[in-house]
Amino acid sequence: MKLCTLVVGALALAAPRLAAAESHKLLVLQSEGRADAATRSKIDAAIFRLALAVEPQAAAGELNFTDAATAVGCRPEAPACKDEVLGMLGVDEIVITTVTPKPGGLEIAVRRVGKGGVARDAVAVIPSGPLPERLDGIAPLFGGAA
């Protein structure tokens, strides 16, 4: 019940920003993975900046894909679940990010998913140390140069 309340509250906060989008509605969900929350938050901000460069009306989500799938009542790994989440959120496309610690750095896997299951993927590995301000390996997913 607490998760459901949290998800409904998060969706209520995101709704005004989503309604403001005139054409293509892109929602950048919070990242998931084994990396710590502070690292994921910095990566989320960098990915959101990439999304804004191509979609000025992009919005930052208040939950991750797994939480959104749980709210809808579907399994995140099921192909149809992505369309159900898109419908619940009222957007045309979502960005799903997973951040995984690897020996010597972090692996950042990003997937842009549109209606009908159309997906584009990008993966970048960044070395240990301070996180870069830009994620050049992910930029092509948003129309930028690598």
Side-chain angles (χ1 to χ4, degrees), residues 80-96:
C81 187
K82 291 172 183 64
D83 279 334
E84 291 181 46
V85 169
L86 285 165
M88 174 189 76
L89 296 173
V91 297
D92 299 306
E93 195 172 14
I94 55 176
V95 176
I96 303 168

Side-chain angles (χ1 to χ4, degrees), residues 42-128:
K42 289 177 184 176
I43 290 169
D44 289 347
I47 291 172
F48 184 60
R49 283 191 299 275
L50 288 171
L52 280 175
V54 76
E55 293 288 340
Q57 298 294 323
E62 301 289 330
L63 69 166
N64 62 40
F65 180 71
T66 300
D67 290 343
T70 300
V72 172
C74 62
R75 292 187 335 245
E77 64 276 0
C81 187
K82 291 172 183 64
D83 279 334
E84 291 181 46
V85 169
L86 285 165
M88 174 189 76
L89 296 173
V91 297
D92 299 306
E93 195 172 14
I94 55 176
V95 176
I96 303 168
T97 305
T98 305
V99 183
T100 308
K102 297 283 184 181
L106 292 171
E107 179 183 84
I108 303 167
V110 181
R111 172 172 272 196
R112 284 184 69 169
V113 179
K115 292 180 180 177
V118 177
R120 293 177 286 158
D121 300 317
V123 177
V125 177
I126 57 174
S128 295

Side-chain angles (χ1 to χ4, degrees), residues 5-20 27 30 59-63 89:
T5 303
L6 175 67
V7 170
V8 170
L11 292 175
L13 290 173
R17 286 180 280 174
L18 295 176
L27 181 64
Q30 292 181 354
E62 301 289 330
L63 69 166
L89 296 173

